[in-house]
Amino acid sequence: MKIESHLAQIGSVQEPVTGAVSFPVYQATAFRHPKLGQSTGFDYARTKSPTRAVLEEAAAKLESGDAGFACSSGMAALQTIFAYFSQGDHLIVSLDLYGGTYRLLERIMSRFGVTASYVDTNDIDGMSSLLQPNTKAVLIETPTNPLMMITDLERVCSWAKSRGLLTIVDNTLLTPYLQRPIELGADIVIHSATKYLGGHNDVLAGLIITKGEELSKEMAILHNSIGAVLGPQDSWLLMRGMKTLALRMERHQYNATKIAEYLLEHPAIDDVYYPALPHHPGHDVQNKQSSGNTGIFSFRLKDARYIEPILRHIKLIAFAESLGGVESLMTYPAVQTHADIPEEIRKAVGVDDRLLRFSVGIEHVDDLIEDLEQALREAKQEIEEQ
Ligand SMILES: *Cc1c(COP(=O)(O)O)cnc(C)c1O
């Protein structure tokens, strides 16, 4: 069966009592035991909960993994994964990293003796030079956010495997509809399901998918012990969102490509960072390892004075901090999502004061271009009048 059908059918035809087409929300934390030594498979909701279990099974299947774990947020999922490591362990991590992941590693995990080195994960020599005897894993975002740098997953996973390292991939931006890292050799996939999987800017959630029996068992212990699990209502809401993932991703990438092409030609724009564009350095690798493009991209203005008036004048597009929802959002990474990353690292990867990130929604593309056009026009006029 194709992935579109799996997505549409999440939670359907599984409810045995009534045949409800939408899987019910089991709002229960305790489950009656038939008798001593027997269980229905559910004991206490932190360990396993019926609505969440349907979501977790679907997540594992969609990502070609062996087990799925639903968490209360993407950060909770990352914390659960990081708890797999021990004092003295070292990780190699994508340089252009989600700000919250950087903060978790540097402010919290560092206090527990888990250290990280940041590098362009497409640079095998650079990664080799960072290897320490205590290096345990590589954590990759591809595409990165906001600069959309692409890592060749097959290449890096096989490099990591040959050195006994685990590969962890944050697949938030592409989702299993477009890219399945485990099929390319990864061991663990993590999602901020708050973004495209949920898709409607209304549910905060995270997912972990593991490959391999031992790793899956260990992750189940961590998930249950830490307890940052997703509740039944949010599990249901996430599944409801995921049913339309395929349709949404098609429209997101169609709109994003049209708008990226429009902005690239605009005289106020210096460059557009979107792997669907042929001039993007990761274009070929992206085409090789995924079946399409995400719905977000970044663009750099020629003049930083444009930023403030653009953010004030956009009307249909909201100035807000997130991505992956049906509504279009514009973010200013230097002061919002990436404020926790030190300036020298930010500048080194190119997150400067002229960069905007655009999470393109599923509105009509003509309306989005019109909104951008009027905001750019107003901004130009204000700058000329200064
Ligand atoms: C948002 C995001 C996270 C964190 O997820 P939350 O659901 O906000 O906790 C992690 N990684 C990436 C790539 C993200 O975009």
Side-chain angles (χ1 to χ4, degrees):
M1 204 157 59
K2 301 267 196 286
I3 193 164
E4 289 87 344
S5 310
H6 279 304
L7 285 164
Q9 295 283 337
I10 293 174
S12 300
V13 300
Q14 283 198 22
E15 203 281 305
V17 180
T18 66
V21 167
S22 160
F23 196 82
V25 177
Y26 281 84
Q27 193 70 54
T29 53
F31 302 86
R32 208 185 275 262
H33 301 301
K35 63 182 212 190
L36 190 63
Q38 279 191 2
S39 163
T40 60
F42 300 97
D43 307 307
Y44 182 62
R46 175 162 28 74
T47 316
K48 193 176 177 193
S49 158
T51 313
R52 195 181 84 215
V54 172
L55 165 66
E56 291 173 333
E57 203 176 296
K61 188 171 225 160
L62 291 166
E63 284 285 7
S64 301
D66 292 319
F69 306 92
C71 301
S72 52
S73 70
M75 292 319 303
L78 281 158
Q79 171 69 82
T80 304
I81 293 167
F82 290 155
Y84 179 77
F85 300 101
S86 305
Q87 187 175 23
D89 286 352
H90 170 252
L91 312 175
I92 293 175
V93 181
S94 286
L95 180 64
D96 179 22
L97 190 68
Y98 177 70
T101 310
Y102 181 84
R103 182 177 56 206
L104 178 57
L105 284 167
E106 291 304 308
R107 289 225 193 141
I108 291 123
M109 294 316 295
S110 62
R111 291 198 277 111
F112 294 85
V114 176
T115 55
S117 302
Y118 303 89
V119 65
D120 172 358
T121 42
N122 214 27
D123 172 9
I124 297 274
D125 291 339
M127 289 203 294
S128 298
S129 74
L130 292 171
L131 273 177
Q132 301 175 9
N134 56 340
T135 304
K136 292 287 160 64
V138 184
L139 169 61
I140 299 169
E141 286 183 24
T142 181
T144 60
N145 158 23
L147 282 159
M148 315 302 289
M149 284 152 65
I150 304 298
T151 292
D152 187 329
L153 285 175
E154 227 165 0
R155 199 164 133 251
V156 174
C157 289
S158 86
W159 174 83
K161 200 152 279 168
S162 72
R163 275 147 190 84
L165 311 179
L166 287 179
T167 307
I168 307 162
V169 178
D170 185 330
N171 203 29
T172 298
L173 263 52
L174 283 171
T175 80
Y177 177 62
L178 296 173
Q179 173 174 281
R180 288 179 292 281
I182 287 173
E183 291 177 7
L184 302 168
D187 302 287
I188 303 176
V189 168
I190 176 266
H191 280 278
S192 169
T194 314
K195 314 295 169 52
Y196 287 107
L197 292 176
H200 294 73
N201 291 320
D202 58 8
V203 57
L204 191 70
L207 288 171
I208 302 166
I209 297 97
T210 48
K211 180 74 188 169
E213 197 181 336
E214 210 170 305
L215 193 57
S216 301
K217 269 193 190 151
E218 191 59 36
M219 201 59 69
I221 293 170
L222 291 166
H223 189 235
N224 182 40
S225 302
I226 293 170
V229 300
L230 196 64
Q233 298 278 351
D234 283 346
S235 295
W236 185 88
L237 204 48
L238 181 54
M239 287 193 274
R240 138 91 89 112
M242 286 166 70
K243 283 170 175 278
T244 56
L245 180 70
L247 289 173
R248 287 186 285 108
M249 292 315 289
E250 291 297 340
R251 176 61 84 90
H252 280 301
Q253 60 178 310
Y254 172 82
N255 281 358
T257 305
K258 290 269 180 199
I259 297 168
E261 285 167 352
Y262 158 77
L263 287 173
L264 195 59
E265 296 300 317
H266 195 285
I269 308 295
D270 186 22
D271 206 353
V272 180
Y273 304 89
Y274 189 47
L277 298 176
H279 82 287
H280 188 280
H283 180 75
D284 292 340
V285 174
Q286 169 78 10
N287 283 350
K288 180 188 77 167
Q289 68 188 10
S290 53
S291 58
N293 287 277
T294 184
I296 83 162
F297 64 80
S298 294
F299 59 103
R300 201 185 304 281
L301 277 300
K302 284 183 180 151
D303 184 338
R305 290 179 300 170
Y306 268 86
I307 301 282
E308 191 280 326
I310 287 175
L311 294 175
R312 182 158 35 85
H313 285 293
I314 46 176
K315 293 187 183 104
L316 177 62
I317 304 160
F319 172 34
E321 185 168 310
S322 190
L323 64 95
V326 291
E327 302 94 350
S328 288
L329 306 182
M330 188 84 78
T331 306
Y332 189 25
V335 304
Q336 293 182 296
T337 47
H338 288 62
D340 278 304
I341 295 184
E343 195 173 339
E344 64 276 12
I345 294 190
R346 260 201 290 119
K347 290 261 164 75
V349 295
V351 180
D352 65 11
D353 61 352
R354 291 186 288 134
L355 192 79
L356 285 175
R357 187 186 80 190
F358 188 9
S359 174
V360 182
I362 63 165
E363 301 90 344
H364 198 288
V365 67
D366 293 351
D367 292 327
L368 293 171
I369 289 179
E370 199 177 298
D371 195 32
L372 281 171
E373 202 156 69
Q374 64 81 24
L376 281 158
R377 196 169 51 235
E378 294 285 339
K380 179 164 186 274
Q381 200 168 344
E382 284 184 23
I383 289 164
E384 283 170 357
E385 282 167 6
Q386 272 170 13

